[in-house]
Amino acid sequence: MTDLMVKAEGVHKSFGRTEVLRGIDLQVRPGEVMCVIGPSGSGKSTLLRCVNHLEKINAGRLWVDGELVGYTQKGDKLYELHDRDVARKRREIGMVFQRFNLFPHMTAVENVMEAPVQVKREPKAQAREHAMQLLAQVGLAEKASAYPNQLSGGQQQRVAIARALAMRPKLMLFDEPTSALDPELVGDVLAVMRQLAADGMTMVVVTHEMGFAREVGDSLVFMDGGVVVEQGAPRDVIADPQHERTRSFLAKVL
């Protein structure tokens, strides 16, 4: 099991009577960048939220780094973990959302150091030093004292990436991180993500950026209607999709 960072087996998720995930099987190896594409409402974001246990699955199994997400197994029975244990495991998974959700009353560096100080009880001086390193890593060292409303959307998103990295995660989840940005701001965010991939971070990226998927992704998953329709090497799937549904989707976005 531990040779996989993420493993999903028969994952189902419903909201009321609406079945959003209908039997998802996926595997992500350590160091792999998996890009997930598909139309709106196909279940992509819900899948990420299940990996992070922001949503509980209704059936199937999900593992992160060899450990069941949200549950412990004794014999053939599953027992739900306490919220405290779920939160502790969630620390190891960084998540970047479409919206940046930065604390508006905190500077960039304060936003980045907040979770390590509050959650991990890191000394403030140590957390600040690491936060400054991360802001430099995302190209924003000179904006450390700026408040979110003084930053562009792209800069805010890069601060959000630094904030997720501050917890030293083993896995990073990106939920359409550039979809809320003006086109000219997208490149800076993708450059940071490219560098993370080059540094060996395991990443699952829900994206509409097909160039990024083709160049940076190790695997590409096309979802529609809550199922995985097609998956493979990005260049293969994009250049020669095997399913009609994939072909029609790509014809619209490429």
Side-chain angles (χ1 to χ4, degrees), residues 52-195:
N52 203 5
H53 204 60
L54 291 170
E55 303 287 354
K56 296 177 183 177
I57 64 176
N58 299 116
R61 296 277 199 280
L62 250 177
W63 292 266
V64 171
D65 201 20
E67 294 189 354
L68 277 169
V69 174
Y71 299 90
T72 184
Q73 185 163 348
K74 292 174 184 169
D76 56 357
K77 281 195 171 178
L78 283 185
Y79 298 90
E80 204 163 326
L81 292 175
H82 291 296
D83 288 348
R84 185 180 62 246
D85 296 321
V86 169
R88 192 177 69 245
K89 293 194 176 190
R90 192 182 289 135
R91 294 179 202 170
E92 301 178 332
I93 304 172
M95 187 147 179
V96 178
F97 300 88
Q98 293 178 33
R99 295 286 166 189
F100 330 120
N101 303 327
L102 298 177
F103 295 117
H105 61 289
M106 292 184 179
T107 63
V109 72
E110 287 167 348
N111 264 283
V112 176
M113 61 188 280
E114 175 72 0
V117 170
Q118 297 299 330
V119 179
K120 284 189 166 180
R121 300 286 183 250
E122 273 187 25
K124 279 192 174 178
Q126 178 184 323
R128 179 176 286 273
E129 184 181 350
H130 187 219
M132 288 300 298
Q133 290 169 359
L134 290 169
L135 287 174
Q137 186 178 327
V138 301
L140 290 173
E142 78 288 355
K143 297 289 187 182
S145 301
Y147 288 90
N149 66 1
Q150 298 171 310
L151 301 172
S152 71
Q155 290 170 334
Q156 289 186 63
Q157 191 62 297
R158 284 186 279 155
V159 173
I161 293 172
R163 179 180 60 181
L165 292 172
M167 293 293 282
R168 297 180 168 86
K170 58 175 79 167
L171 169 67
M172 284 285 284
L173 308 175
F174 292 87
D175 188 7
E176 300 191 26
T178 58
S179 65
L181 301 179
D182 293 332
E184 67 266 26
L185 302 177
V186 167
D188 290 337
V189 173
L190 292 181
V192 169
M193 294 169 63
R194 276 194 180 87
Q195 189 55 53

Side-chain angles (χ1 to χ4, degrees), residues 4-38:
L4 295 173
M5 184 58 77
V6 180
K7 183 176 182 182
E9 277 184 3
V11 169
H12 286 255
K13 174 63 186 177
S14 298
F15 296 103
R17 294 185 175 177
T18 306
E19 203 174 10
V20 180
L21 299 179
R22 301 188 294 136
I24 299 289
D25 296 313
L26 278 180
Q27 296 185 353
V28 184
R29 297 181 312 278
E32 179 178 346
V33 178
M34 174 179 281
C35 292
V36 184
I37 62 171

